[in-house]
Every structure is written in structure tokens, then in C-alpha cells.
Amino acid sequence: MANDVFKGITIVGTSNESFSHAIELAIERAKQTVRELRWFEIRDQRGAVRDGQIEYQVTLEVFFKLVADTPAEE
Amino acid sequence: MANDVFKGITIVGTSNESFSHAIELAIERAKQTVRELRWFEIRDQRGAVRDGQIEYQVTLEVFFKLVADTPAEE
Amino acid sequence: MANDVFKGITIVGTSNESFSHAIELAIERAKQTVRELRWFEIRDQRGAVRDGQIEYQVTLEVFFKLVADTPAEE
Amino acid sequence: MANDVFKGITIVGTSNESFSHAIELAIERAKQTVRELRWFEIRDQRGAVRDGQIEYQVTLEVFFKLVADTPAEE
Amino acid sequence: MANDVFKGITIVGTSNESFSHAIELAIERAKQTVRELRWFEIRDQRGAVRDGQIEYQVTLEVFFKLVADTPAEE
Amino acid sequence: MANDVFKGITIVGTSNESFSHAIELAIERAKQTVRELRWFEIRDQRGAVRDGQIEYQVTLEVFFKLVADTPAEE
Amino acid sequence: MANDVFKGITIVGTSNESFSHAIELAIERAKQTVRELRWFEIRDQRGAVRDGQIEYQVTLEVFFKLVADTPAEE
Amino acid sequence: MANDVFKGITIVGTSNESFSHAIELAIERAKQTVRELRWFEIRDQRGAVRDGQIEYQVTLEVFFKLVADTPAEE
Amino acid sequence: MANDVFKGITIVGTSNESFSHAIELAIERAKQTVRELRWFEIRDQRGAVRDGQIEYQVTLEVFFKLVADTPAEE
Amino acid sequence: MANDVFKGITIVGTSNESFSHAIELAIERAKQTVRELRWFEIRDQRGAVRDGQIEYQVTLEVFFKLVADTPAEE
Amino acid sequence: MANDVFKGITIVGTSNESFSHAIELAIERAKQTVRELRWFEIRDQRGAVRDGQIEYQVTLEVFFKLVADTPAEE
Amino acid sequence: MANDVFKGITIVGTSNESFSHAIELAIERAKQTVRELRWFEIRDQRGAVRDGQIEYQVTLEVFFKLVADTPAEE
């Protein structure tokens, strides 16, 4: 991939099931609008407790390739 | 907020008054174009000294909800 | 620059030559679509070895000024 | 929740099944004596190997609301 | 203070006014039940935005002297 | 120890002799009220100089097993 | 285990199923040649996306006891 | 500022009023003897409680330009 | 690379020329005995000054694939 | 030492006496099989409490020179 | 100490005996020229092995009060 | 170097050419007034973009031996 340039964006997925599910949802959502999604890094795992139920929250950084017509500043 | 996906962006506010003012300015600016702004985290507090006057600079990460028509890659 | 607000984006440059070259490529690419690019910070230096050749990868955060008509959420 | 004060405590959950299970056990245990449990943060994921079997250990910080009659120093 | 032993607890103060106010509220609350409060450290500054209003949240660690009849495990 | 839940508390030991002595004093004090003390982690080593004499200060996190009748919120 | 000496090695497990599966595979692989495997620490959780499929990658540090005839420098 | 060399020094400001005031005092003090003070970074925010009153303590790193006759080793 | 397991080792390259040269030397040395070298991460950049000359020192972590007959514990 | 390449390995020393003793034991053990041991870094200080007795555990990274016939991948 | 300003300097003590001895030597040396030495923080513990003997090296930050005639920029 | 005491100072080198050049300039400048310069550590790599040109900025900590007549507090 030499000479390619990639961009990283921070997203947070949430799920009532598990951290794994929250990660999958976040990546699914990113793939809807990001072309050329390549890799991701888990940055933070947290959660909330609402009415006795756990809500899992995962912060991840997702990287994709900047192709010719992608504005970098977005 | 389970199953919701959020996005975080990094902004830097600056002010000649205080760190508090720099934070308020940064969040005001973000609210102009970001719908559904939810939470923020202070990442860095720095400053410059110009002509003897302090300029406060705050780096913060601001998170908002990705709604159906928001492109995630931005 | 007091009262100005800036935005930081994460990009990754790659090069078969050196880390220096990867940084230059990443900043060149960012300048194509970002107006008012001001400063950057090196966050990570890594690399891959493919067919015995080193590919240098640099993650950097690039900051630019938010002017009146820039949507902050991008 | 403005003007409310919360307290964070550090707990470690353990399980022979998975990190997920260790988190659930730790939060269940905390809920037995903590009222108003609100959110948690994963701080560390480790494990032991005993007789060839993996024991998962998760350190998490759990936060709850300090109500009028909760001694803060606990 | 040689030979003394101290204990640190984690508390989170919240305020609609400022980070400063959130710190003061948290320390006031701690002083209600903690005797011999001695020093504190700011660990995290975050916030929420609700109905367009900023809620400041400060996580701090507060230390107090363990006197003869204080149970340490609390 | 699978399925067991542990709690961590932060204590600071002080001594005019050495860091080692400060650690021992802190653990001795914790054992007076904590049953089932299991492990500890050194988090910080600092000190003060008073009248030319060094006072050693060690911050450590001490972990113990939560047994059936231990309130977790303490 | 006093007076024993242990060694830690860094391994990365990968799986198309989950982070949990990647951890299990890595520990299974380590057990094939490491005697006296004792504990491990999760250091990093990342992943790749290939042809739309997630590949989970976990970096962990695995520790084992150095017995009399184990060369330490390995 | 290319080819210029700067030096950073660590100072701690204290105030009974606020962190903001402690920062201002520290920078004022530094300006008395440092020429060409340029920028600063907040490294730590802590405090003490004495007779029920909060003393704010801020550790900051202050940078100034090394001019021809400034001894660098200071 | 799913289901593959990799191992990371820490090496330090040194050079009188540059950090770049020190990295290249370290990777060349690793390739002499490591098969399937895949990626590396820069962890630390330091140096010494001897007789007025700079010696560059780079600590990097190098990862390679564990193939069937590689002992993991090394 | 320019152009030399070094390798770092992670070891954990344990002792019932002190952290100092645990460090000495770990280095003694490393010297039995590692030639050209040069420097070390303390990474972590922890401990266990067994039957009321403290066991000190020190994680250190030990570096030695790779000579011509040392396989780097170990 | 409100309204006082302090300065921190970084020093490294070395000893063939122990880390404790290296700390004492460093503080003794600092006291020869620094008036009003108040507190210190341990930042790093490393060492070298020369001719089979351990040399302990401790990096610490030492803080002293800036009195009226102390130049801050030093 | 046992029983020697060293001092570390923070300097920032800048260059329009490269990070390497910025490091060399900073060390050259330090050598003008510091005797017995021994080693350095890279702490931060950043840069500015002015009129489309990159200015490289490197923060490094430089250590030198405190000889008998060097005032430590500088």
C-alpha cells in the first residue's frame, strides 16, 4: 500500500448484548458510507447501567483509504 | 441509546480569556453544523503567549449521534 | 488566533522510502482538500515488511482552521 | 445530572468462561450493595492459566450516585 | 506526616456552570463524611450536552488520613 | 479463583526510612480491617523534604476478595 | 512463587470469529511449546476488514516460569 | 521559527482562588526572568485542602526561545 | 491471516548516521534469523553523545509469523 | 556501540524479602544464559500477600547485545 | 503555600548499591545548590550491567520554591 | 558512572528540512553551553505548516553530568 494515504475516524458503537455486538454494529454503520474500510483499533470499552440492564459502549478508530475524489478534511 | 452509533471529532478552541471560554466557543462552533451533539472529553490544555498576553487553547473530542442520513466517513 | 476554532483529523501516510517521505505525502494529500492547514502531530510510527522491502507508515493528526462555511461535523 | 456527585470503585471479576462473563459477574456483585449504579469503565483485561484452563480477569471501575445518606469516604 | 497512612477515593462532580464549580461541589460533598481530607488530583474532565446546555463533569481522586478507627477496606 | 469478585482500594504509605518501609506500613494498616487481602500494585513513588529529611510516599492499590457479607460500595 | 523467575513473551492471535477466539488460539499455540504457562495480559485489540469480513487481532503478553534448563535469552 | 531552539521549564503555580489564577501567577512569575516566553502546556492539576480551604496547584511546562547569550544548560 | 499466530520481539538498532539507518540495521539483523517477518512498531527513539558525535538508538518491536516448527517460548 | 543491535526480553523476579532482592534474582537468572547483558528497565512493581506474608514481584526488561551467532527470533 | 510558585528540575542519580542509594545521592546533590527543596517524584528506574555489576539509575523530578531572587528561566 | 548525578533539560529544535535536522540543531545548541552532554530522549515530534512549507519541531530531553561547580538548580 506504499504511497497510499489513509484516514482514521472515531466511532462509538453501543449494544445491550455485548462489546462484540457493539463493535460489529459500529463497523456495519461505517461501511454504509465509507468505501475501502481497511482496519480498526479498539480505544475504549465502557458501559452504562439503565434499569438494571447493561449497555456496552466501544470506542474504536476506523481507517479507510483516501481515494482520488475523497475530500480529506471530512 | 443501545444500537446507536456515535462519531467523535477533534476540535481546538482558543480564547484570550480562559480555558472555560475556549471550551464554550469550541462547542458553540460545533453545534452550528453538528446535530445531536451529546458529550465531549478534554484531551489537552495548552496556550501561547503573544505580546505578553495569554491565549488559551483547549483540544477536545466532541461526540454526536450518527443519524440515518449522516455520512460516517466525514 | 484567539477565538478561532480548529479541527484535527487523523491520517496515515505510507512510503517505501522513509518515515520522512510518508509524512510529506500525507501532508501533501491533506493540503489538496483542506484549506488553512496549520499544524500536525506525529502519533505513531510503524511499518510492514513485504517481499523483504520495508513500507513505512506514519499516523499523524493534522489541524486546520474552521472557516465560516466549513461544516464542523465532517 | 448536574450538581449530583458520583463515586467510583474498582472491582475485579473472574470467570472460567470469558471476559464478558467476568464483567457480568462483577456488575451483578456490585449491584447487590450499591444503589444507583450508573456506568463503568474497563481498565484491564488479564488472565491466569491453571491446569491448562484459562481464568479471565477483568478490572473495571464502577460509578454510582452518592445519595444523601451514603458516607462518601467508603 | 511520616508513618501516616492515607486513603484515596474516586469521585465525580457535575455542574451546569463550570469545571471549577463541579470540583468545589465534589469536595464539599466529600467533606461531609470524610474527616481529615488532605489533597486531591484531577483525573479527567468531560461533559455532556443536554438540550443545548453544557454539563461539566470532573473525575477527581480525593485523599484523606486513615485515623485509628477508620476501616481501611471501605 | 474463578467466579470470585475482588475490590481494589488506593492507599498511600509514608515513612522517613525508605519506600520499602512505606509499603510495609501501608499493607499492615490495610490488613487491620481488610480480610482476604490478596495482591497489590505500586502506582506512584514520591516524597517530601522537610527540615532536610526525606519522607517517602508510596501510592499503591490493594485488592481483596469480596466475601458474602462485604458491602461492595464501600 | 517467591524466588521464582518468569519470562514474558508477546504474541498476536487472529480470528475471523471474535476477540475471544483469537485469545484462545494464541494461548493454545503458546502452550504447544511453553511449559509452565502461568498468566497473560491483553495489550491491544485491533482488526482488519478484508472483503467485508472482520478479522480480529489481539496482542497479548504471556508469562511462564523459567525452569532450570530453560535458556533465558530466548 | 525554523532553526530556532527553545527551552522548556517546569513550574508549579498555586492559588486559593482557582486553577486559572494559579496558571496566571505561574506565567507572571516566569515572565519576570524569562525573555521570549512563547507557549505552555498544562501537565497536572492537583490541590490541597488546608483548614477546609482549597489550594489549587497547577504544574505547567513553559517554553521560551534560546537567544544567543542564554546558557542552555540552565 | 485469520487463525495465524504471530510473535513480537523487542530489538534496539544503533547508528552514527540517523534514526532511519538504525531502523534499517535492526530489521536487516532480524531478517537473518527470523523467517516470515511481517510488521514492526517504533517504541522509543533515544541517543548518546560520545566524543561530540551522536549515536542514534531506536527500540522497535518486530513481529513474525509462528510457523509449525517454531518454538513459541523463545 | 554504533551499528550494534540489541535484544530486549521481559522477565519477572519474585522475592519474599524486597523489590531489590527480586530485581537481583531476576538479573542473576538472566546472566546464566544471556551473554553480553547490558542494561535493564523496571516496568512494573506489584506483589501478592500469602498467609500474611508479602511476595514482591518486579517486571523488568533486560537488554543484551546480539552477537554473530545469536538467533534473533528467539 | 498559596500564591507561591515552584520549579521542577529533572535529575538522575546513580549507585552501585541500590535504587534507594541513588535517590539519596541525587537529592543530596540537589540540596547543595537548591534552596527550599520541597518535594520529588520518581519518574523512571533503570540500570546498567558493567563487568557483571549492577549500576542503579533513578530519574526523579525535584521541586523547589522560587524565591524573590531566583531566576525562573534557569 | 556510579555515584554520578546527571541533569536533564527539555529543548525543542526546529527546522524547515527534516526532523533529523531539527534534532541536530538542538543538540548543537545545547553543546555550546552544556559540558559533559551524555544522552538524549525524543519526547515529541510535531510541526507547523506556514505558507505551504513544513516546519519540523522536535522536543527532546538532553542529559549531562553535574560536575562539582555546576549549580543544580539551574
Side-chain angles (χ1 to χ4, degrees):
Chain A
M1 66 199 210
N3 294 352
D4 287 337
V5 177
F6 300 83
K7 191 183 166 196
I9 57 170
T10 300
I11 51 179
V12 181
T14 63
S15 161
N16 282 329
E17 284 176 39
S18 65
F19 282 124
S20 306
H21 189 231
I23 293 169
E24 284 164 27
L25 285 176
I27 288 177
E28 276 316 304
R29 181 63 180 83
K31 286 202 299 199
Q32 288 174 19
T33 50
V34 171
R35 284 172 296 169
E36 300 275 2
L37 183 56
R38 294 294 175 83
W39 79 93
F40 64 92
E41 306 172 7
I42 302 298
R43 226 181 62 186
D44 220 10
Q45 290 172 298
R46 324 167 50 100
V49 178
R50 295 185 213 282
D51 306 324
Q53 189 184 22
I54 299 177
E55 183 194 276
Y56 299 90
Q57 304 162 348
V58 182
T59 306
L60 58 171
E61 203 161 1
V62 174
F63 293 83
F64 58 96
K65 188 175 163 185
L66 279 177
V67 288
D69 56 339
T70 321
E73 84 275 30
E74 293 182 36
Chain B
M1 65 200 211
N3 293 352
D4 287 338
V5 177
F6 300 82
K7 190 182 165 196
I9 57 170
T10 299
I11 50 179
V12 180
T14 64
S15 161
N16 283 328
E17 284 177 39
S18 64
F19 282 124
S20 306
H21 189 230
I23 293 168
E24 285 165 26
L25 285 176
I27 288 177
E28 276 317 304
R29 181 64 180 82
K31 286 202 299 200
Q32 288 173 20
T33 49
V34 171
R35 285 171 294 169
E36 299 275 3
L37 185 54
R38 294 296 175 81
W39 81 94
F40 64 93
E41 304 174 7
I42 303 297
R43 225 180 64 184
D44 220 10
Q45 289 173 300
R46 324 168 50 100
V49 179
R50 295 185 212 283
D51 306 323
Q53 190 183 19
I54 299 176
E55 183 195 276
Y56 299 91
Q57 303 162 347
V58 183
T59 306
L60 57 171
E61 202 162 1
V62 175
F63 293 83
F64 57 96
K65 187 175 162 184
L66 279 177
V67 288
D69 57 340
T70 321
E73 84 272 33
E74 295 182 36
Chain C
M1 67 200 211
N3 293 353
D4 287 337
V5 177
F6 300 82
K7 189 180 166 198
I9 55 168
T10 299
I11 50 178
V12 181
T14 63
S15 161
N16 283 328
E17 284 177 39
S18 64
F19 283 124
S20 307
H21 189 231
I23 294 169
E24 284 164 26
L25 285 178
I27 289 177
E28 276 316 304
R29 181 63 181 80
K31 285 201 300 201
Q32 288 174 20
T33 49
V34 170
R35 283 172 295 169
E36 299 274 3
L37 185 55
R38 294 294 176 83
W39 81 94
F40 64 93
E41 305 172 8
I42 303 298
R43 227 179 61 185
D44 220 10
Q45 290 172 299
R46 324 167 50 100
V49 179
R50 294 186 214 283
D51 305 323
Q53 189 184 21
I54 300 177
E55 182 194 277
Y56 299 91
Q57 304 162 348
V58 182
T59 306
L60 57 171
E61 203 161 1
V62 175
F63 293 82
F64 57 97
K65 187 175 163 185
L66 280 177
V67 288
D69 57 340
T70 321
E73 84 273 33
E74 294 183 37
Chain D
M1 66 200 209
N3 293 352
D4 287 338
V5 177
F6 299 81
K7 191 182 166 194
I9 57 170
T10 299
I11 50 179
V12 181
T14 63
S15 161
N16 282 330
E17 284 176 39
S18 64
F19 282 124
S20 306
H21 189 230
I23 294 169
E24 284 165 27
L25 284 177
I27 289 178
E28 276 317 302
R29 181 62 181 83
K31 286 202 299 199
Q32 288 175 19
T33 49
V34 170
R35 284 172 295 169
E36 301 274 3
L37 184 55
R38 293 295 176 84
W39 81 93
F40 64 93
E41 305 172 7
I42 303 297
R43 227 180 62 185
D44 220 10
Q45 289 173 299
R46 324 168 48 101
V49 179
R50 295 186 213 283
D51 306 324
Q53 189 183 22
I54 300 177
E55 183 194 277
Y56 299 92
Q57 303 163 349
V58 183
T59 306
L60 58 171
E61 202 162 2
V62 174
F63 293 83
F64 56 96
K65 189 176 163 185
L66 279 177
V67 288
D69 56 340
T70 321
E73 85 274 30
E74 293 181 39
Chain E
M1 65 201 212
N3 294 351
D4 287 337
V5 177
F6 300 82
K7 190 182 165 195
I9 57 169
T10 299
I11 50 179
V12 181
T14 63
S15 160
N16 283 329
E17 285 177 38
S18 64
F19 282 125
S20 307
H21 189 230
I23 294 169
E24 284 165 26
L25 285 177
I27 289 177
E28 275 317 303
R29 181 64 180 80
K31 286 202 299 199
Q32 287 174 21
T33 49
V34 171
R35 285 173 294 169
E36 299 275 2
L37 185 55
R38 292 296 175 83
W39 80 94
F40 64 93
E41 305 173 8
I42 303 297
R43 227 180 61 184
D44 219 10
Q45 289 173 299
R46 324 168 48 102
V49 179
R50 294 185 213 283
D51 307 323
Q53 190 183 20
I54 300 176
E55 182 194 278
Y56 299 91
Q57 303 162 349
V58 184
T59 306
L60 57 171
E61 202 162 2
V62 175
F63 294 82
F64 57 97
K65 187 175 163 185
L66 279 177
V67 289
D69 56 341
T70 320
E73 84 274 31
E74 294 182 38
Chain F
M1 67 200 209
N3 293 352
D4 287 338
V5 178
F6 300 82
K7 191 183 165 194
I9 57 169
T10 299
I11 51 179
V12 181
T14 64
S15 161
N16 283 330
E17 284 177 40
S18 65
F19 282 123
S20 306
H21 189 231
I23 293 168
E24 284 165 26
L25 285 177
I27 289 177
E28 275 316 305
R29 181 64 180 79
K31 286 201 300 200
Q32 288 174 20
T33 49
V34 171
R35 283 171 296 168
E36 300 274 4
L37 185 54
R38 293 294 176 83
W39 79 94
F40 63 92
E41 305 173 7
I42 302 297
R43 228 179 61 186
D44 219 11
Q45 288 174 300
R46 322 166 52 98
V49 179
R50 297 185 211 283
D51 307 322
Q53 189 183 22
I54 299 176
E55 182 194 277
Y56 299 91
Q57 304 163 348
V58 183
T59 306
L60 58 171
E61 203 161 0
V62 174
F63 293 82
F64 57 97
K65 188 175 163 186
L66 280 178
V67 288
D69 57 339
T70 321
E73 85 273 33
E74 294 181 37
Chain G
M1 67 199 210
N3 293 353
D4 287 337
V5 177
F6 300 83
K7 189 180 166 197
I9 56 170
T10 299
I11 51 179
V12 181
T14 63
S15 161
N16 282 329
E17 284 178 39
S18 64
F19 282 124
S20 307
H21 189 230
I23 294 168
E24 284 165 27
L25 285 177
I27 289 178
E28 276 317 304
R29 181 65 180 81
K31 286 201 299 201
Q32 288 175 19
T33 49
V34 172
R35 283 173 295 169
E36 300 274 4
L37 184 55
R38 293 295 176 83
W39 80 94
F40 64 93
E41 305 172 9
I42 302 298
R43 224 181 64 185
D44 221 9
Q45 289 172 299
R46 323 167 50 100
V49 178
R50 294 186 214 282
D51 306 323
Q53 189 184 22
I54 300 176
E55 183 194 277
Y56 299 91
Q57 303 163 348
V58 183
T59 306
L60 57 171
E61 203 162 1
V62 174
F63 293 82
F64 57 96
K65 187 174 163 184
L66 280 177
V67 289
D69 55 341
T70 322
E73 85 274 32
E74 295 182 35
Chain H
M1 66 200 208
N3 293 351
D4 287 338
V5 177
F6 301 82
K7 192 184 165 194
I9 57 169
T10 299
I11 51 179
V12 181
T14 63
S15 161
N16 283 329
E17 284 176 40
S18 64
F19 282 123
S20 306
H21 189 230
I23 293 168
E24 285 164 26
L25 285 177
I27 288 177
E28 275 317 304
R29 181 64 181 81
K31 286 202 299 200
Q32 287 175 20
T33 49
V34 171
R35 284 171 296 168
E36 299 276 3
L37 184 54
R38 293 294 175 83
W39 81 94
F40 64 93
E41 304 172 8
I42 303 296
R43 227 180 61 186
D44 220 10
Q45 289 173 298
R46 322 168 50 100
V49 179
R50 296 185 212 283
D51 306 323
Q53 190 184 21
I54 300 176
E55 183 194 276
Y56 299 91
Q57 303 162 348
V58 183
T59 306
L60 57 172
E61 202 160 2
V62 174
F63 293 83
F64 56 97
K65 188 175 162 184
L66 279 178
V67 288
D69 57 339
T70 322
E73 84 274 32
E74 294 181 39
Chain I
M1 66 200 210
N3 293 352
D4 287 338
V5 176
F6 300 82
K7 190 181 166 195
I9 57 169
T10 299
I11 51 179
V12 181
T14 64
S15 161
N16 282 329
E17 285 177 39
S18 64
F19 282 125
S20 306
H21 189 230
I23 293 168
E24 283 164 28
L25 285 177
I27 289 177
E28 276 316 304
R29 182 62 180 83
K31 286 201 300 200
Q32 287 173 20
T33 49
V34 171
R35 284 171 295 169
E36 299 275 1
L37 184 55
R38 295 294 176 83
W39 80 93
F40 63 93
E41 306 173 6
I42 303 297
R43 226 180 62 185
D44 220 10
Q45 289 173 299
R46 324 168 49 101
V49 179
R50 295 185 213 282
D51 306 323
Q53 189 184 21
I54 300 175
E55 182 194 277
Y56 299 90
Q57 303 161 349
V58 183
T59 306
L60 58 171
E61 202 162 0
V62 174
F63 294 82
F64 57 97
K65 188 173 162 186
L66 280 177
V67 288
D69 57 339
T70 321
E73 85 274 30
E74 295 182 37
Chain J
M1 65 200 210
N3 294 351
D4 287 337
V5 177
F6 300 82
K7 191 181 165 196
I9 56 169
T10 299
I11 50 178
V12 180
T14 63
S15 160
N16 283 329
E17 284 176 39
S18 65
F19 282 124
S20 306
H21 189 230
I23 294 168
E24 284 164 28
L25 285 178
I27 289 177
E28 275 317 305
R29 181 63 180 81
K31 287 201 298 199
Q32 288 174 19
T33 50
V34 172
R35 284 171 295 168
E36 299 275 3
L37 185 54
R38 293 294 175 82
W39 80 94
F40 64 93
E41 306 172 8
I42 303 297
R43 227 180 62 185
D44 220 11
Q45 289 172 299
R46 324 167 50 101
V49 179
R50 295 185 213 281
D51 306 324
Q53 190 183 20
I54 300 177
E55 182 194 277
Y56 299 91
Q57 303 162 347
V58 183
T59 306
L60 59 170
E61 202 162 1
V62 175
F63 294 81
F64 57 97
K65 187 175 162 185
L66 280 177
V67 289
D69 57 340
T70 322
E73 83 274 32
E74 296 183 37
Chain K
M1 66 201 209
N3 294 351
D4 288 338
V5 177
F6 300 81
K7 190 182 164 196
I9 57 169
T10 299
I11 50 179
V12 180
T14 63
S15 161
N16 283 328
E17 285 177 39
S18 64
F19 282 123
S20 306
H21 189 229
I23 294 168
E24 284 164 27
L25 284 177
I27 289 177
E28 275 318 303
R29 181 62 181 82
K31 286 201 300 199
Q32 286 174 22
T33 49
V34 171
R35 285 172 295 168
E36 300 274 3
L37 185 54
R38 292 297 175 81
W39 81 94
F40 64 93
E41 305 172 9
I42 303 298
R43 227 181 60 185
D44 220 10
Q45 288 174 299
R46 323 168 49 100
V49 178
R50 295 185 212 283
D51 306 323
Q53 188 183 21
I54 300 176
E55 183 195 277
Y56 299 92
Q57 304 162 347
V58 183
T59 306
L60 57 172
E61 203 162 2
V62 174
F63 293 82
F64 57 97
K65 187 175 163 183
L66 280 178
V67 289
D69 57 339
T70 322
E73 84 274 31
E74 292 181 40
Chain L
M1 65 200 208
N3 292 353
D4 288 338
V5 177
F6 301 81
K7 191 183 165 195
I9 57 169
T10 299
I11 51 179
V12 181
T14 63
S15 160
N16 283 329
E17 284 176 40
S18 64
F19 282 124
S20 306
H21 189 231
I23 294 168
E24 284 165 28
L25 285 177
I27 289 177
E28 274 318 302
R29 180 64 180 82
K31 285 201 300 199
Q32 287 174 20
T33 49
V34 171
R35 284 171 296 169
E36 300 275 2
L37 185 54
R38 294 295 176 83
W39 80 93
F40 64 93
E41 305 172 8
I42 303 297
R43 226 180 63 184
D44 220 11
Q45 289 173 298
R46 326 170 45 103
V49 179
R50 295 185 213 281
D51 306 324
Q53 190 183 22
I54 300 176
E55 182 194 277
Y56 299 91
Q57 303 162 349
V58 183
T59 306
L60 57 172
E61 203 161 2
V62 174
F63 293 83
F64 56 98
K65 188 175 162 185
L66 280 177
V67 289
D69 57 339
T70 321
E73 84 274 30
E74 293 180 41

